[in-house]
Amino acid sequence: MSAAGETVRLAGRILTLRKMGKAAFAHVEDASGRIQLYFRLNVLGDDAFATVKELYDLGDIVGTEGTLFRTRTGEITLEVRRAVMLAKALQNPPEKFHGLRDTETRLRRRYLDFAANPDVRQAFSVRSRMVSEVRSFFDERGYLEVETPVLQPLYGGAFARPFVTHHNALDQDFYLRIATELYLKRCLIGGFERVYEIGRTFRNEGMDRDHNPEFTMLEAYQAYADYTDMMALIEELYLSVALAVHGAAQIPYGDDEIDLTPPWRRVRLHEAIEAATGIDIYAFPEADALLAEVRAQGIAAPERVTWATLVDELLAERVEPTLIQPTLLVDYPVALSPLAKRREDDARMVERFEAFVGGLEVANAFSELNDPLDQRQRFEEQARERAAGDEEAQPLDEDFLLALEYGMPPTGGIGIGIDRMAMLFTNSASIRDVILFPPVRNRESE
RNA sequence: GACCCGGUAGCUCAGUUGGCAGAGCACCUGACUUUUAAUCAGGGUGUCCUGGGUUCGAGUCCCAGCCGGGUCACCA
């Protein structure tokens, strides 16, 4: 112990406190760790020692100065010469041995969860390093980090119901963005060739273990690239992050060990469905015929039956849960992908993939549709879906179509769920474990 | 939205067949100069989630509601 005898100053929150007649021990903790303090009457003097005995409680934050020594059990301890109360706790901290377990209190007073449960704090430390590595990854590859509007006059870029708000000065409603896609594409049209944005997006939908109404998504776009470039990108990104935050390409998740080493398994969507269910979705091009096949599988039909929703139902029910090891599902039906470019060899399909890891959808990418005429048709198809009752169909965006008419280079684009990535790298079962302050319902009394 | 589970002291929890509201930690009083989940002696601090109902009597049984969790639905 090289610092023995030297004067040391440290501060922290009191976690344990053992007061005796003329001495007291405490453990204090700050972000760097915990250490024991030793207060002695004959070192501190009557007044200062009396203050410790009468005033100090668990949870208080104190500043101290003293010298280090080892107790007879060998623990490094600060013998305190001077001490000052930095913040007095008026509320009792959670119980020191059992910690804070009650899920409702943990959510409503999240600061107590952080204070009482170091492993909860640890997850956010991992998340922070992970995001840093993600930024470095894109920065090093020449992508420009940009920030596009959160408040948008029209929403788009994903299938979701938006949150709506109102701008008083303009007396105009705005939507909180459900995706950054259409603005990032405007950047491409304007000549930026590689852009990315890590941003909060908002979708007015239910919450569960892998959905939160506000979440962080990374979208990246690269001119003169296509979805195969995005396949390599997602594989390399996950590998880089794994090595940076975990030190290995293999990570534990739940009961599984996931190997992120590229290349990931690639399966064509309709083949994955056929392998799991025996149904060749392209052999049943009409919704009614496909519905009969889906029902024969014992799968409940979605509320709104279209060919596309049935395909998605098959995917969600029978394919996605099995995708524990990293898998790229490729070549989606055009009806599910109104912003993606059609395959040249099969106009029913688009150049798109979704990446799955640990059963979670972690990325969605495509060769971006840059034909303004086809894009208009796709929007018009969405408008028909909308008129038929699909609240999540995408609205026709004339302003975006106008931009496309000036010419967007062929582009590969990808959306990556940052929260789900954090779930994987922190081995968290719930997205709320990697969101600092998840929303909770107001209590009537509050 | 449906179903299941839960809500008792600041925290973690117990509470029997319906019969005075409990324990540990925390807290308060006293003792204690190397303790470390300190120890020893004493002290219970409560809207039993809320509102009704049944009953001589409800934390416990019934109904409605609130809040949380889980599963499902939704999230193409």
XYZ file of all heavy atoms in Angstrom, chain B residues 7-18:
256
model
P -49.366 -9.509 -2.027
O -48.647 -9.885 -0.795
O -50.821 -9.764 -2.167
O -49.143 -7.961 -2.305
C -47.827 -7.417 -2.392
C -47.899 -5.921 -2.568
O -48.642 -5.629 -3.775
C -48.611 -5.195 -1.430
O -47.971 -3.946 -1.156
C -50.000 -4.920 -1.995
O -50.612 -3.774 -1.479
C -49.707 -4.748 -3.492
N -50.868 -5.134 -4.301
C -51.371 -6.394 -4.429
N -52.432 -6.439 -5.177
C -52.638 -5.131 -5.573
C -53.653 -4.567 -6.390
O -54.595 -5.131 -6.945
N -53.487 -3.191 -6.525
C -52.487 -2.464 -5.953
N -52.509 -1.148 -6.205
N -51.537 -2.968 -5.178
C -51.671 -4.306 -5.039
P -47.101 -3.801 0.174
O -46.840 -2.370 0.375
O -45.993 -4.738 0.030
O -48.033 -4.323 1.357
C -49.020 -3.470 1.910
C -49.157 -3.711 3.380
O -49.576 -5.092 3.609
C -47.866 -3.608 4.178
O -47.507 -2.266 4.456
C -48.218 -4.411 5.416
O -49.114 -3.694 6.235
C -48.959 -5.589 4.783
N -48.044 -6.682 4.403
C -47.592 -7.516 5.416
O -47.910 -7.377 6.574
N -46.747 -8.516 5.008
C -46.316 -8.758 3.730
O -45.562 -9.699 3.520
C -46.815 -7.857 2.736
C -47.636 -6.867 3.105
P -45.983 -1.870 4.440
O -45.881 -0.665 3.590
O -45.146 -3.050 4.142
O -45.722 -1.461 5.954
C -46.278 -0.259 6.462
C -45.283 0.429 7.358
O -45.113 -0.400 8.548
C -43.888 0.596 6.749
O -43.339 1.827 7.180
C -43.087 -0.549 7.346
O -41.719 -0.286 7.459
C -43.727 -0.657 8.735
N -43.573 -1.957 9.360
C -43.059 -3.109 8.826
N -43.034 -4.122 9.661
C -43.567 -3.598 10.821
C -43.808 -4.148 12.095
N -43.541 -5.403 12.402
N -44.343 -3.344 13.037
C -44.621 -2.075 12.713
N -44.435 -1.441 11.564
C -43.906 -2.262 10.656
P -43.505 3.123 6.305
O -43.315 4.266 7.228
O -44.707 3.016 5.473
O -42.243 3.057 5.327
C -41.958 4.148 4.438
C -40.507 4.084 4.045
O -39.708 4.305 5.228
C -40.059 2.725 3.516
O -40.218 2.662 2.113
C -38.599 2.649 3.942
O -37.783 3.381 3.046
C -38.629 3.401 5.273
N -38.837 2.520 6.433
C -39.825 2.655 7.372
N -39.772 1.753 8.308
C -38.680 0.977 7.973
C -38.128 -0.154 8.628
O -38.510 -0.705 9.656
N -37.017 -0.650 7.953
C -36.509 -0.106 6.798
N -35.445 -0.730 6.296
N -37.014 0.945 6.171
C -38.093 1.435 6.814
P -40.745 1.283 1.413
O -40.968 1.606 -0.009
O -41.825 0.697 2.220
O -39.473 0.325 1.503
C -38.327 0.562 0.682
C -37.267 -0.463 0.992
O -36.906 -0.354 2.394
C -37.693 -1.912 0.836
O -37.562 -2.347 -0.503
C -36.749 -2.644 1.780
O -35.468 -2.777 1.184
C -36.631 -1.642 2.925
N -37.579 -1.906 4.034
C -37.324 -2.983 4.894
O -36.343 -3.700 4.671
N -38.151 -3.204 5.927
C -39.195 -2.399 6.130
N -39.985 -2.656 7.188
C -39.490 -1.307 5.269
C -38.661 -1.091 4.243
P -38.471 -3.550 -1.036
O -38.094 -3.773 -2.445
O -39.865 -3.272 -0.669
O -37.984 -4.816 -0.192
C -36.720 -5.404 -0.481
C -36.542 -6.645 0.367
O -36.449 -6.274 1.758
C -37.714 -7.622 0.335
O -37.692 -8.433 -0.830
C -37.504 -8.406 1.625
O -36.464 -9.350 1.471
C -37.016 -7.299 2.571
N -38.119 -6.709 3.359
C -38.437 -7.354 4.547
O -37.866 -8.360 4.928
N -39.454 -6.771 5.257
C -40.168 -5.645 4.914
O -41.059 -5.247 5.658
C -39.784 -5.037 3.673
C -38.789 -5.580 2.957
P -39.063 -9.145 -1.303
O -38.727 -9.976 -2.461
O -40.111 -8.114 -1.381
O -39.371 -10.116 -0.080
C -40.694 -10.433 0.305
C -40.645 -11.020 1.686
O -40.313 -9.987 2.654
C -41.970 -11.578 2.214
O -42.208 -12.881 1.714
C -41.742 -11.569 3.711
O -40.905 -12.636 4.109
C -40.954 -10.260 3.881
N -41.839 -9.133 4.222
C -42.329 -9.056 5.529
O -42.000 -9.947 6.325
N -43.146 -8.045 5.875
C -43.481 -7.119 4.980
N -44.283 -6.142 5.370
C -42.986 -7.160 3.641
C -42.179 -8.174 3.302
P -43.706 -13.443 1.682
O -43.622 -14.754 1.006
O -44.606 -12.408 1.148
O -44.066 -13.671 3.226
C -43.586 -14.823 3.882
C -43.940 -14.850 5.342
O -43.646 -13.605 6.001
C -45.402 -15.072 5.732
O -45.857 -16.373 5.479
C -45.323 -14.771 7.221
O -44.699 -15.832 7.919
C -44.372 -13.563 7.218
N -45.156 -12.315 7.308
C -45.363 -11.342 6.370
N -46.126 -10.364 6.794
C -46.453 -10.717 8.095
C -47.235 -10.104 9.094
N -47.870 -8.963 8.922
N -47.340 -10.742 10.290
C -46.708 -11.892 10.463
N -45.945 -12.579 9.596
C -45.857 -11.918 8.425
P -47.357 -16.581 4.920
O -47.576 -18.039 4.865
O -47.552 -15.741 3.720
O -48.263 -15.974 6.081
C -48.374 -16.631 7.333
C -49.115 -15.772 8.306
O -48.454 -14.477 8.408
C -50.552 -15.405 7.918
O -51.459 -16.449 8.204
C -50.795 -14.156 8.755
O -51.038 -14.481 10.107
C -49.426 -13.465 8.658
N -49.425 -12.519 7.544
C -48.864 -12.689 6.303
N -49.053 -11.668 5.512
C -49.797 -10.778 6.277
C -50.310 -9.489 5.964
O -50.205 -8.867 4.907
N -50.999 -8.929 7.024
C -51.184 -9.525 8.238
N -51.891 -8.832 9.142
N -50.710 -10.720 8.558
C -50.032 -11.284 7.534
P -52.853 -16.453 7.422
O -52.518 -16.205 6.008
O -53.814 -15.567 8.118
O -53.375 -17.948 7.561
C -52.623 -19.025 6.984
C -52.814 -20.267 7.818
O -51.911 -20.214 8.961
C -54.217 -20.456 8.385
O -54.558 -21.832 8.418
C -54.086 -19.954 9.819
O -55.030 -20.514 10.714
C -52.665 -20.398 10.150
N -52.034 -19.581 11.199
C -51.168 -20.220 12.054
O -50.900 -21.396 11.957
N -50.619 -19.411 13.022
C -50.855 -18.073 13.204
O -50.272 -17.491 14.122
C -51.775 -17.483 12.278
C -52.324 -18.248 11.332
P -55.490 -22.441 7.302
O -55.407 -23.913 7.401
O -55.160 -21.736 6.037
O -56.947 -21.985 7.738
C -58.036 -22.244 6.858
C -59.344 -21.960 7.543
O -59.480 -22.868 8.680
C -59.491 -20.539 8.109
O -60.837 -20.118 7.979
C -59.160 -20.720 9.590
O -59.770 -19.762 10.431
C -59.737 -22.113 9.851
N -59.086 -22.788 10.986
C -59.850 -23.116 12.074
O -61.038 -22.855 12.130
N -59.192 -23.737 13.092
C -57.865 -24.071 13.134
O -57.414 -24.632 14.125
C -57.127 -23.690 11.975
C -57.744 -23.080 10.962
P -61.170 -19.017 6.888
O -62.562 -19.287 6.488
O -60.077 -18.964 5.890
O -61.175 -17.639 7.698
C -60.015 -16.832 7.751
C -60.178 -15.749 8.786
O -61.376 -14.989 8.479
C -60.361 -16.259 10.210
O -59.842 -15.279 11.103
C -61.855 -16.281 10.366
O -62.312 -16.235 11.690
C -62.232 -15.013 9.607
N -63.611 -14.959 9.170
C -64.376 -15.965 8.655
N -65.596 -15.574 8.369
C -65.620 -14.226 8.718
C -66.657 -13.268 8.644
O -67.803 -13.432 8.228
N -66.254 -12.035 9.106
C -64.991 -11.753 9.571
N -64.789 -10.512 9.977
N -64.009 -12.627 9.649
C -64.396 -13.836 9.210
